[in-house]
Amino acid sequence: MLVRKFIQWSQGTSATARADGVAALARAYLYSEMAPEERREAESALYALLDDPSPLPRRAMAECFAGSPDAPPALIHGLARDQSEVSALVLTRSPLLADADLIDCAAVGDSAAQAAIALRADLSPAVCASLAEIAGREAAIALAVNESANIPDFALRRMVERFGDDGEVREALLGRAWLPATVRAHLADVTARALADFVVSRQWLSAPRGARIALDNRDRATMIIASGCADYSEETAALAAYLRVAGQITPGVALRALLCGQKGLFEATLAELTGLSAKRIAGVVREPWSDAFAAAYAKAGFPAGLLIVFRSALAALARLKPGNEDEGALRLPLIQAVLADCASGDPALGNVMSLLRRFELDATREQARRQIAEVRTAQVRSQAADDSPMLFGLPTTLTPRAEGSEDTGVVVDLAALERELLAA
């Protein structure tokens, strides 16, 4: 009887009135004490309105039932597959949708529906991986800013692969509270290439110059990322594995790691290239002049002529204490020590000596920048202290004599007074 009366009433009313009626019926279903028969009739009336020609009644149902665990499951599934104006409410909040339902809705839904799923609280790794693979740009941004989403590392890397050229996606990913080192390295790579392509397209730099700058910036970023990892850990090993797969492991990068004090990354690189255990690599690295280190070095595929350079770098790293360099920055004393050891005039070391000179230039310039920053900070503090109008308890400027006041004829030479006090 309830279904018949409700349907007869709804046929002669406007879409807005039907939406109000549906909302009232939905609230009665959720919060009033209905008899089982009345509840079944109410469900039938709500199911009938899933075919309403206007989205307003269906949106009203979605607003009432979206966050309720007591909503009719079939009704929730119907609303979840409706147009995005209706489905987004349910996809974002309903606890009745399983992971398989969300994945299916993401596969057939538009960008708004995918973004609604991406914003769900505590999103499971399976749904996150599905969205990373099939969702559009808007959903990728929504997923990246959802801190409660349990996004696996491989899904984050897949998002970088698909949307690495999009600045907003990169910004959203970098805004997350934590990112794996491999994802940060991947982002650094695509960002460096995007910036290089931009300046080259504007003809601000030549293509070779732009490529060199992109490469240097990427390697600097890799060292900074490595400095945030433990000395040698699973994350460092994962970073080395990513660098190998990405083709970024070169003798120059390995040498930069040592000259930045990133011994853990160098060990992880050797372990990745040789297949030896981390414990074995750590042992041979402690003895850089041993035959065991030479064998591991050769197995890694590094040039034999550069063995002396790596041995010198490891020896210098062992005997020199860290300075006040920034994390991940090149250490000037290490570079100078290696240059001194390798300054033999051997033609085979010509290229690596040129690389070391470039490293020395970078480290020197960075040291100069730090010194300038320190001087400027000291100047700001000094100026703040000098803003006081008192010097040795006396005013540094004479206040003009008020009209009518008595002129004593006494003039105070503050500069002479200061010199006299200092002399005393």
Side-chain angles (χ1 to χ4, degrees):
M1 184 64 67
L2 176 62
V3 176
R4 183 178 302 173
K5 288 182 178 179
F6 186 84
I7 293 176
Q8 289 175 349
W9 168 82
S10 63
Q11 287 177 349
T13 59
S14 66
T16 303
R18 292 198 303 275
D20 293 339
V22 168
L25 181 60
R27 288 192 295 269
Y29 180 90
L30 290 174
Y31 307 118
S32 66
E33 295 182 0
M34 286 184 171
E37 183 64 27
E38 291 177 336
R39 184 170 291 272
R40 284 193 295 271
E41 289 187 2
E43 288 181 5
S44 298
L46 293 169
Y47 290 141
L49 286 171
L50 285 176
D51 295 326
D52 196 285
S54 172
L56 295 180
R58 303 196 302 276
R59 181 178 174 85
M61 278 193 287
E63 289 174 347
C64 292
F65 288 125
S68 175
D70 299 322
L75 186 68
I76 291 296
H77 284 79
L79 294 172
R81 289 163 176 81
D82 209 317
Q83 63 190 67
S84 58
E85 179 186 356
V86 176
S87 64
L89 298 168
V90 175
L91 292 172
T92 305
R93 298 167 52 199
S94 178
L96 300 179
L97 295 173
D99 286 352
D101 301 321
L102 295 173
I103 293 172
D104 181 64
C105 290
V108 300
D110 59 11
S111 60
Q114 293 172 347
I117 296 172
L119 291 173
R120 284 177 67 95
D122 300 320
L123 204 59
S124 70
V127 180
C128 291
S130 177
L131 289 172
E133 186 63 39
I134 65 175
R137 170 184 176 275
E138 293 78 7
I141 294 174
L143 184 62
V145 301
N146 184 359
E147 291 288 350
S148 68
N150 300 304
I151 311 177
D153 292 1
F154 71 88
L156 288 167
R157 292 196 298 271
R158 182 57 178 156
M159 291 170 65
V160 178
E161 290 174 1
R162 294 183 62 208
F163 303 106
D165 294 335
D166 191 297
E168 291 188 39
V169 176
R170 294 198 303 267
E171 184 178 2
L173 286 168
L174 290 171
R176 291 184 66 83
W178 180 82
L179 277 178
T182 54
V183 178
R184 283 178 281 157
H186 199 168
L187 279 171
D189 183 26
V190 297
T191 302
R193 284 190 281 107
L195 291 175
D197 292 342
F198 175 75
V199 297
V200 170
S201 66
R202 293 292 180 128
Q203 297 184 349
W204 294 339
L205 293 175
S206 64
R209 178 64 174 166
R212 168 65 66 82
I213 291 176
L215 184 64
D216 288 345
N217 287 335
R218 185 195 69 191
D219 292 344
R220 289 191 189 100
T222 300
M223 297 306 122
I224 294 172
I225 293 167
S227 68
C229 306
D231 189 33
Y232 185 62
S233 61
E234 292 183 2
E235 190 172 17
T236 313
L239 177 59
Y242 162 76
L243 295 176
R244 180 183 64 81
V245 172
Q248 296 182 24
I249 290 184
T250 63
V253 171
L255 183 59
R256 179 189 281 268
L258 286 178
L259 297 179
C260 289
Q262 302 302 322
K263 186 179 177 183
L265 179 60
F266 177 73
E267 292 179 2
T269 299
L270 278 186
E272 180 66 26
L273 294 176
T274 61
L276 300 175
S277 67
K279 184 176 181 180
R280 175 63 175 160
I281 290 295
V284 300
V285 166
R286 281 195 294 268
E287 300 292 338
W289 301 103
S290 65
D291 293 338
F293 176 78
Y297 177 89
K299 190 172 183 180
F302 289 156
L306 302 185
L307 177 59
I308 181 62
V309 180
F310 282 88
R311 282 174 159 170
S312 176
L314 284 168
L317 184 61
R319 69 174 182 267
L320 295 177
K321 295 182 179 179
N324 61 346
E325 299 88 354
D326 295 333
E327 290 294 331
L330 289 164
R331 297 184 182 180
L332 186 58
L334 280 177
I335 299 170
Q336 292 172 339
V338 176
L339 280 170
D341 289 344
C342 300
S344 60
D346 187 352
L349 298 179
N351 290 336
V352 74
M353 291 297 289
S354 175
L355 178 63
L356 289 171
R357 292 299 182 189
R358 281 174 46 207
F359 286 166
E360 182 183 33
L361 174 61
D362 289 346
T364 304
R365 293 176 66 176
E366 191 60 36
Q367 186 181 69
R369 292 189 188 105
R370 286 196 303 271
Q371 291 174 347
I372 291 173
E374 292 172 359
V375 170
R376 287 176 176 171
T377 301
Q379 286 178 340
V380 170
R381 292 174 179 171
S382 176
Q383 289 173 359
D386 291 344
D387 284 342
S388 172
M390 304 298 291
L391 178 64
F392 299 115
L394 296 173
T396 58
T397 58
L398 294 178
T399 304
R401 181 168 53 87
E403 185 177 352
S405 61
E406 182 179 359
D407 187 357
T408 61
V410 178
V411 178
V412 180
D413 187 348
L414 294 180
L417 177 61
E418 180 182 356
R419 288 194 298 269
E420 184 176 348
L421 292 172
L422 290 174

